[in-house]
Amino acid sequence: FPERLSNPRLMSVQRTLNVVMNQNVSLSCHSDSGSPPVTYTLFKHNQKVSTLSRPDLTPGLFNLTINSASDVGEYKCKAENKVSNGGKYSNSLNFTLIEPISKPVLSSPTSQAKKGQNVTLSCLSENGSLPITYIFFKGKQNISPPVKMHKREAAVIFLYISSSSDFGTYKCRAENSFRNNTKYSNSFNFTLAEERSHSQPLIISLGLILLLFIIGFALAIPFFIIPLYKASE
């Protein structure tokens, strides 16, 4: 007697749901039991993508190309035979589009610092699939644990400038789940800020006092000194 089909299983032949743009992928739809022949239909967002038939219980293979972000939506398949009423539906699959990261930018609110000052460094890749992991370096030595960002925001670290060696060259590194795609940032250097001499404000104050004295003396000449000179003649 004809046997109804079991619910099919939808699987990625690549055994991963992470894909890149323009990648070719294959989906397998398979009912383990039921009377052949079997018709398999693939759906994306409940819209029919493709239909194929199998004379036996071998899997139906659907070949796709990921051309845009819309191609990574939800996929399901349906299996039907002569005795199935409306067919049987599979589990759903969702691909994740993985994009390579762009070169990160390392920056700071200030490029000048002095000893004893706290400063910050920010590292950000504008493009690439999240999450992105950042690591900061001074020279070739890492100075931070990995910072994983799940939002399109800069990773930030805080530094304390304690000696002249802290004015070295800084960089950061960014990476995500895209294979063999590690990018390093631009170099960033803090420069030593010139410290004002403690005597400079005193010199400026004395100069202003002297200037005011000269102006006051010049204003007093017509009113006091000239009349006194005339009275003495």
Side-chain angles (χ1 to χ4, degrees):
F1 292 96
E3 182 183 357
R4 293 180 181 274
L5 292 168
S6 61
N7 285 83
R9 277 187 309 160
L10 185 63
M11 300 175 58
S12 169
V13 176
Q14 291 75 221
R15 299 183 181 275
T16 178
L17 295 177
N18 293 334
V19 294
V20 298
M21 198 68 75
N22 300 319
Q23 180 179 341
N24 295 318
V25 296
S26 295
L27 292 178
S28 168
C29 185
H30 183 217
S31 287
D32 293 324
S33 61
S35 299
V38 183
T39 299
Y40 294 106
T41 304
L42 183 68
F43 296 87
K44 180 170 69 69
H45 293 311
N46 298 321
Q47 291 186 346
K48 184 186 295 186
V49 175
S50 181
T51 299
L52 51 86
S53 297
R54 286 289 180 264
D56 49 27
L57 290 180
T58 56
L61 293 178
F62 297 94
N63 298 313
L64 308 170
T65 302
I66 305 300
N67 292 315
S68 66
S70 63
D71 293 329
V72 296
E74 182 186 64
Y75 287 87
K76 281 188 177 183
C77 72
K78 181 174 71 170
E80 298 174 280
N81 64 1
K82 292 182 179 180
V83 296
S84 60
N85 185 17
K88 294 292 184 73
Y89 285 87
S90 72
N91 55 296
S92 60
L93 285 184
N94 282 278
F95 289 110
T96 299
L97 184 63
I98 303 299
E99 296 179 277
I101 52 177
S102 58
K103 179 179 178 179
V105 176
L106 183 64
S107 61
S108 176
T110 178
S111 60
Q112 293 187 328
K114 56 186 178 182
K115 294 179 183 178
Q117 182 178 343
N118 292 307
V119 294
T120 62
L121 281 173
S122 301
C123 186
L124 176 64
S125 286
E126 291 285 354
N127 300 302
S129 302
L130 297 171
I132 298 176
T133 300
Y134 298 95
I135 299 179
F136 293 82
F137 295 84
K138 186 169 77 68
K140 295 183 178 180
Q141 182 178 4
N142 63 308
I143 56 172
S144 76
V147 182
K148 182 176 285 190
M149 302 299 295
H150 294 270
K151 295 182 179 180
R152 190 73 60 191
E153 297 175 350
V156 179
I157 62 167
F158 299 89
L159 302 173
Y160 178 73
I161 304 298
S162 60
S163 65
S164 57
S165 63
D166 295 324
F167 291 94
T169 299
Y170 293 87
K171 280 190 175 185
C172 68
R173 186 181 75 194
E175 58 188 7
N176 63 3
S177 55
F178 194 95
R179 289 184 178 181
N180 303 319
N181 184 237
T182 298
K183 296 287 181 67
Y184 284 86
S185 72
N186 54 295
S187 299
F188 188 91
N189 291 75
F190 291 105
T191 57
L192 181 63
E194 295 183 3
E195 298 187 20
R196 286 187 173 182
S197 172
H198 294 294
S199 61
Q200 187 175 3
L202 179 61
I203 295 173
I204 294 174
S205 299
L206 291 175
L208 288 174
I209 292 172
L210 179 61
L211 179 61
L212 291 173
F213 177 78
I214 293 172
I215 294 173
F217 181 77
L219 292 174
I221 290 176
F223 297 99
F224 296 101
I225 298 177
I226 293 177
L228 287 174
Y229 177 76
K230 290 182 178 180
S232 63
E233 289 180 349

